[in-house]
Amino acid sequence: MSIKIKFTLNGNKVQTIIEKNWTLLYLIRKEMKLTGTKEGCGYGECGACTVLVNNKAINSCIFLAIRADGEKITTIEGIGFEKNKIDSVQKSFIDNGGIQCGFCSPGMIISAKALLSEKSKPNRKDIKNAISGNICRCTGYEQIIKSIQKVIKKK
Amino acid sequence: MGNTTNSNYITVMERYKTMNKFNFFEARSIEEAFLIYIKLKKNKKDPVYIAGGTDLIINIKKKKITPKCLISINNIKNYKCIKFNKKSKELTIGSFVTHRELENSNLVRENYKILHDAIKCIGSTQIRNVATIGGNIVNAAPSADSVIPLIALDSFICLEKGKEKRTLKLSDFFVSPNKTVLKQGEILTKIIIPKTVFFSSGSYRKIGYRNSMELPIVSVGVFLSLDSKMSICKKARICLGVAAPTPIRILKAEKFLEGGKITEERLTESGIISAEESKVRDSYRGKAWFRKRLISTYVKRAGLLAIQRIKNMHNKIKKEKLI
């Protein structure tokens, strides 16, 4: 049961044939070969698979690929894509120890990006709320919150 | 041989996390959805409706259900909006409104604080961006967060099946865990919150081990209407989640509060009545005795917060008048 879909992936228009039972995560990792987005639990609990669909953060492991038809999807590879260098959020994560093992980082950065596109000056509570769906077992979250706060200060 | 065990492991993992094959249909109206449903049902394809799908897809992945067809009702535009009728003062929430839309709606944030309290603690931002309020109700989990405030607000729901429509009270909708009075092929389309009086407000509290992606140990919603002097309670609604097989109202405690003076002692008393009347059970999340204690404490606290909110609202309006 395959079907052809069109969507915008990281600014590029893409056409591809998918199976109806694929998740968006499967499409991104196995078909598009963009392995920056990770699969953690597979049940929408850990947030490692977070991507942006129309600038909204969603868990791609429980989002059907067929629903991506006609939508704008941004993965971690698409962050800071235009200038061909890393984004200010990514830089801040590197500088402040927000990245340790790195498995949660793509999801964390996407969640942070979604927050910053909604609110220009979020407070600590907003930040905690925004990354509440992302699990990190290394940093204890403190460095991640600090990284996001630093980005806001630089603005 | 090492290779084979390794690849076996991967296939097991893959099988565990991928879904069985199914067909997918997109419906543009309720009538169309029902027509597709009937057609597939005749061909024994056991169709299932899908809205946000954040619970359904997990269940398919865990092989709890294996549908052959999914009918997407997420893009039916008529039921994707929040409307406030200025004449009748009713709030109508379309069933396919996501939790995030409700959370960001000023209308809900200002006037329906009890609902806003509940919506913002559902899942995570990622889940709230996709999951719909209708889905949360139809799932009928005893712990469903959005259901408790909606029952406390005396909401009605509209169920549609082709051209047949019926409206019923939300509190009559649930039968047992994950079971409702929903008939085959029926779709929940609207949630109607009737007019709330001026001196009324409520609050909701979910008690769990962490803030997100967590099912509560118990959850408590209290909605109070006071008289214009803010001393006598005219109407009270006390609603508990995970305290019984379905979300329940504690009628005895409500009757105790109604008509009497509103004081901290009386709220404490109503909390104790609520704990006695609840049908909590032991589970790995919490023992029954612990849940009872939580209920008696949090009914009181939620009540106090509700009164505080009524006072704040009143003061705010007073100030505006002075200016």
Side-chain angles (χ1 to χ4, degrees), chain A residues 10-12 72 74 76-87 90 113:
Chain A
N10 298 333
N12 301 325
K72 190 183 135 205
T74 314
I76 186 71
E77 287 89 351
I79 301 278
F81 181 73
E82 284 157 26
K83 293 164 201 161
N84 214 5
K85 58 181 183 186
I86 59 168
D87 189 74
Q90 287 169 315
K113 270 297 220 188

Side-chain angles (χ1 to χ4, degrees), chain A residues 75-122:
Chain A
T75 66
I76 186 71
E77 287 89 351
I79 301 278
F81 181 73
E82 284 157 26
K83 293 164 201 161
N84 214 5
K85 58 181 183 186
I86 59 168
D87 189 74
S88 57
V89 181
Q90 287 169 315
K91 184 86 176 63
S92 182
F93 266 66
I94 296 166
D95 293 344
N96 296 296
I99 294 178
Q100 283 182 25
C101 87
F103 198 82
C104 75
S105 305
M108 284 286 183
I109 290 165
I110 296 271
S111 284
K113 270 297 220 188
L115 171 72
L116 294 172
S117 69
E118 242 175 53
K119 284 181 184 169
S120 55
K121 280 192 176 163

Side-chain angles (χ1 to χ4, degrees), chain A residues 18-136:
Chain A
I18 60 155
E19 290 288 320
K20 284 181 177 177
N21 66 342
W22 283 1
T23 59
L24 181 59
L25 180 70
Y26 190 92
L27 171 67
I28 291 168
R29 280 183 67 89
K30 297 280 164 75
E31 279 299 300
M32 297 295 145
K33 310 277 181 203
L34 296 176
T35 51
T37 312
K38 307 296 182 205
E39 179 169 31
C41 63
Y43 301 124
E45 302 252 357
C46 71
C49 60
T50 308
V51 299
L52 296 177
V53 174
N54 295 334
N55 293 325
K56 279 181 195 160
I58 60 117
N59 287 322
S60 62
C61 68
I62 50 169
F63 193 87
L64 288 179
I66 195 168
R67 288 227 160 128
D69 195 11
E71 313 283 1
K72 190 183 135 205
I73 288 157
T74 314
T75 66
I76 186 71
E77 287 89 351
I79 301 278
F81 181 73
E82 284 157 26
K83 293 164 201 161
N84 214 5
K85 58 181 183 186
I86 59 168
D87 189 74
S88 57
V89 181
Q90 287 169 315
K91 184 86 176 63
S92 182
F93 266 66
I94 296 166
D95 293 344
N96 296 296
I99 294 178
Q100 283 182 25
C101 87
F103 198 82
C104 75
S105 305
M108 284 286 183
I109 290 165
I110 296 271
S111 284
K113 270 297 220 188
L115 171 72
L116 294 172
S117 69
E118 242 175 53
K119 284 181 184 169
S120 55
K121 280 192 176 163
N123 55 26
R124 192 184 158 87
K125 208 177 164 190
D126 292 329
I127 296 173
K128 272 181 128 178
N129 193 18
I131 60 167
S132 65
N134 295 72
I135 291 177
C136 169

Side-chain angles (χ1 to χ4, degrees), chain B residues 249-268:
Chain B
R249 267 174 66 186
I250 307 290
L251 299 172
K252 205 176 162 189
E254 288 174 6
K255 272 199 184 138
F256 174 78
L257 280 180
E258 280 170 7
K261 262 201 163 186
I262 195 94
T263 54
E264 202 176 323
E265 288 78 48
R266 282 180 70 82
L267 278 172
T268 314

